[in-house]
Amino acid sequence: MFKFKVIKKEGKTKARNGLLETPHGVIRTPAFVPVSTKGALRGVDYETAYNFGSDIFMVNAFHFFCNKRHKEVKKFGGLHKFANINYPLMTDSGGFQVFSYGFGREHEVGKISEVSTPQKEKKSSPRNKNLVKISSDGVEFSLPTSGEKVFMNPKVSMEVQKNLGADLIFAFDECTSSFADYNYTKEALQRTNRWAEESLSCFGRSKKQALMGVVQGGEFQDLREESAKFTASLPFFGFGIGGFLGKSKKDMYHLLDWVNDILPEEKPRHLLGIGEVDDILESVEKGVDLFDCVVPTRWARHGTALTSQGRLNIKGRKYLNSKKPIDKNCSCPICKNHSVGYVSHLIREKEIFGAMLLTHHNLFWIQNLMASIREEIKKENFSTFKNKLLKKYGTK
Ligand SMILES: [Zn+2]
């Protein structure tokens, strides 16, 4: 029922095309996975997103755990039946959100510190002990909504993810932040390794779902390598690369080399929570197969368009008078039928339809980029394509 096959290697780089088979359909890799956080995409329906080239969607198990609704979903027979959809789905373990509460709910801690963590906040306390208590058994934390104390560990995460019934699910891991020093990260990795084995044992055998392990180890080369070796030694279907990925984007690209040189070539690799255009291009070159990220949908709600000329904030006054499409090189239904002036007006007026239109464009645009990436890998021209595009994005 589950199969991953590398169908083309670029040769000059680690970029590759693959096909990932699941009971609900085939995913063409490299693939961008839109996030349907609580069971729905914000501003676009599943069918449209699928027709735009989204082969699989990511639902966050954390929300279904917090409101205990995974139990109701189970009664429906899983997320597919609950939402009445027949597309491949994946869920994350809930770990990232759980640990985000402890590490820096107030600090906007991200996966790469240059992007989201202001320097001055780096010296703050490593963890808010009142919110999250970590032991070798699991994590106790207070629910963000009610304050109720709850507990999560590999057994609970596997139960929630089995109830949700997504095709691909993830092992429960400890997600460390940019606050974590070497010794703490090493300790956390020992827990993650133990939890990987526990996740596998709680998962058991299944024809309906496949379990992915997660490589941790923070920004430290020896820990990342140790984690990649250990995780690769276990019978996971594929691998996520998670946690704190470095102080800069460049650090993250080095990290991907360390990890992907160790992970087995014949299994899929998913970079968790990353999906800006430059990151996708560089990470594909390092052998990453899947990405999930809220970027195209979240940015759309704030008026930011992904375009062939780079990122544009179309809320700007100058766009109001423009009869041109959002991107003249885009063939999405929005660019065909509407002016950027109209979309800009709706977004400025906070009309829901404005956010919807831009979400449609952004999602189409990013899936079109993924299709081009796959095509260029096929033609063994990916590096040239990547460098040309990065120049437009001002990062090369
Ligand atoms: Zn468009």
Side-chain angles (χ1 to χ4, degrees), residues 330 332 335 361:
C330 178
C332 86
C335 290
H361 161 81

Side-chain angles (χ1 to χ4, degrees), residues 89 98 240 286:
L89 294 176
V98 170
K286 306 286 182 192

